[in-house]
Amino acid sequence: MRGCYQFRHAGAFLALVAAAVLLSSECLRSNPIMIDEYAHLPAGISYLDLGRHFIYRENPPLVRLLAALPVWMSGPRMTYDRASSADRSEWRVGTGFIAANGARHHELFVRARCVVLSLSILCGLLIFFWASESHGAAAGIVRASLWLIDPTVLANSGMATVDVGTSMFGLGATFLFWRWLRDPSWRNALLAGVGLGAAQACKFSMLALYPAWLALWLLSMALASRVDQASPALGVRSWVKLGGIFLLSLFVLDCVYTFDRVGRPLGAYDFKSVLLTSRVVDDRHRVPDGNRFRGTWLAGIPVPLPEDYVRGFDSQKWEEEWGFMRLTRGRLVHGGSWYSPLETLAYKLPLGTLALLSASAVYWFVRSRRLRLFECAVLVPALFLLLVLGTQTGLNWAVRYALPTLPFLILAVGGPVQAAWGCPMWRWGVLACVFWNGFAVVGARPHFLSYGNELVGGQDGARREFAGSNYDWGQDLYRLARWWGEHSEVRPLAVLYYGALDPGFLGINGTGIPDQFIEVGESVSPTTTSMPAKPFYLAISFNILIGQPANVHFDSGLRMTAFVRSPRLRFDTAVTRIGRTIYIFHIVPTAAEARSDKDVTYDELRSSFREASFNESWKFTLL
């Protein structure tokens, strides 16, 4: 009977995995190359080709290495003539990678995406295993479903980016540390150190695990003393082992970087972030350099980290300090708030997950009030990750940055689920939450990246709160190509697309962008044309329509251009919408618009672009 019971739960978990694979594969194969994604994969291939990690060093390399391995083994074409360690050249390398591999580029990205999907499945398996060990197989199934059948997870599992892999490695490392706290043997300490080092090699946000683990270790001693027991983690040996875990993690991190330029003195670096230079510059295009440690006793200390890791951290911090534009309540604003990650999760997580998280908080406050080591092991890392993310207000509203906290939050619902399983009424309540999530996923497919829950008004309401990677990352270009091919009457077509792939690569041979509709910056190359005298069609990505800068393609690579300035381009005047993010307008020019009365100089356009792009707020009309 017990074997049958276990077989049923194993079958249920495999069904969840099959559903996740089917749903993610829809994005994995049907989406074009996304923003950032087209730089991640070539960077990973360069690590294997060159043995250096300066391309896209703003994230550590482990997940990229894993995703690039099957692509590298298939012999892709790479060009490094425009690669540079002096600036962020990953965008140029990515553009060159797509051009060099032609139509084959999509197949190569699909292989890398399959690796990321596998890491997502491993994360679900780890959630199931850890939850089952702590609260039973039923609780494990419920919690695994909250990860595997989640729109945001499904969207990111179909992209060759680093956030899903970071979530898996961060959770796996903490699981191994939890095992060491229960049984502080040298073997478990070794595994925990390796796991922590692997997590550090995924993303800089994993630095939060160091204080989180220290706090967790102290909590484990407090919990043991409260119940009058001798903690297995007490004593001098445990201090030594904890220090050994942290030191081993640094060794593993250096191994991932193949010990490339490890040990440079701290004073030898030229930094640019305010954190590491203490210099504030009011012009983003003038990159500062300095070192706040130079001239102090710290300058001569060798840094036990690779140079590209240190420089990558500095560069990432500099970008966060400047911040990016985000959408909130129908307005583009600069930067976020400390609570932005929580707000984004509240709008992005399905209501079933939110209901179970709320029930967990009530359960622990009302019924338990006494946390076990397991609850501390999942809540403390989640808290520290959210605290660190809350301080990074320049970019913390992007849900992908909060994704590594999600497995820990999901595991926190185990106690209430286990308690509810013994009562038929509450059991049906838990199942209702799971099925609600399932219906949300089915209703959102295949547009998982643009998902917003009922609190924000669903996917249509989400366009008031989300932009960029939370809503539009260029995922509908293939749908536009199919629509354009099926509608021969849509000629001529001007395209202003927010994405990494040139629409002309797919045969969308549109006209130039009318200069009466946009303002151009960041490029001296001509990018606009006068408006045609005859009616024409205009395809615009959501991000550009609301005022975000657009990516315009040239032979020399991507350049930044500015944003829509015509008052007639509103959501309610669109002829149709392609997917969720590309709007089609039919433009009938007036006599005044068809005339070209004034030549606008590049300096005027650049000034207008910068004023609008970095303004504190930018208002637009939704309906």
Side-chain angles (χ1 to χ4, degrees), residues 92-345:
R92 300 192 297 269
V93 173
T95 303
F97 176 80
I98 293 176
N101 289 279
R104 191 189 176 212
H105 82 273
H106 185 75
E107 171 200 341
L108 298 176
F109 273 92
V110 166
R111 295 183 184 183
R113 289 169 172 178
C114 287
V115 174
V116 177
L117 177 57
S118 300
L119 294 175
S120 179
I121 300 302
L122 284 175
C123 188
L125 177 62
L126 183 57
I127 291 172
F128 171 70
F129 179 77
W130 197 358
S132 299
E133 183 175 341
S134 301
H135 295 104
I141 292 294
V142 170
R143 284 185 278 187
S145 73
L146 301 183
W147 171 265
L148 293 171
I149 311 299
D150 179 272
T152 300
V153 174
L154 291 170
N156 285 272
S157 298
M159 294 187 289
T161 51
V162 301
D163 303 287
V164 167
T166 301
S167 304
M168 193 283 293
F169 279 104
L171 181 67
T174 304
F175 172 75
L176 293 173
F177 186 68
W178 173 74
R179 295 284 296 267
W180 175 75
L181 290 175
R182 298 175 67 196
D183 177 17
S185 64
W186 280 109
R187 175 180 174 275
N188 286 340
L190 176 66
L191 293 174
V194 172
L196 181 58
Q200 300 308 312
C202 294
K203 209 166 184 180
F204 292 120
S205 59
M206 291 293 103
L207 287 168
L209 291 183
Y210 286 108
W213 283 20
L214 178 60
L216 185 55
W217 180 72
L218 295 173
L219 274 174
S220 70
M221 294 192 291
L223 289 173
S225 62
R226 188 176 64 183
V227 296
D228 222 6
Q229 293 179 352
S231 170
L234 288 173
V236 176
R237 284 189 178 182
S238 67
W239 278 97
V240 173
K241 290 178 183 177
L242 182 66
I245 289 172
F246 288 171
L247 290 175
L248 179 59
S249 70
L250 297 180
F251 177 79
V252 172
L253 177 63
D254 292 341
C255 285
V256 174
Y257 279 89
T258 62
F259 293 91
D260 182 24
R261 290 166 294 165
V262 173
R264 286 196 67 192
L266 184 58
Y269 287 95
D270 286 322
F271 298 123
K272 57 184 178 180
S273 65
V274 177
L275 176 68
L276 299 178
T277 65
S278 72
R279 295 176 59 189
V280 179
V281 177
D282 58 1
D283 184 355
R284 182 171 185 168
H285 301 276
R286 184 166 63 89
V287 179
D289 63 83
N291 188 325
R292 72 187 311 154
F293 307 104
R294 198 169 288 154
T296 70
W297 64 272
L298 294 171
I301 296 178
V303 181
L305 295 167
E307 179 179 338
D308 285 320
Y309 182 90
V310 177
R311 293 191 181 278
F313 175 85
D314 173 59
S315 179
Q316 184 79 327
K317 183 58 183 172
W318 178 71
E319 287 212 346
E320 184 278 324
E321 289 167 349
W322 275 105
F324 296 94
M325 303 296 287
R326 70 183 179 102
L327 187 63
T328 177
R329 294 164 184 80
R331 294 173 63 88
L332 277 178
V333 299
H334 185 264
S337 305
W338 66 268
Y339 56 82
S340 293
L342 298 175
E343 184 180 41
T344 304
L345 287 173

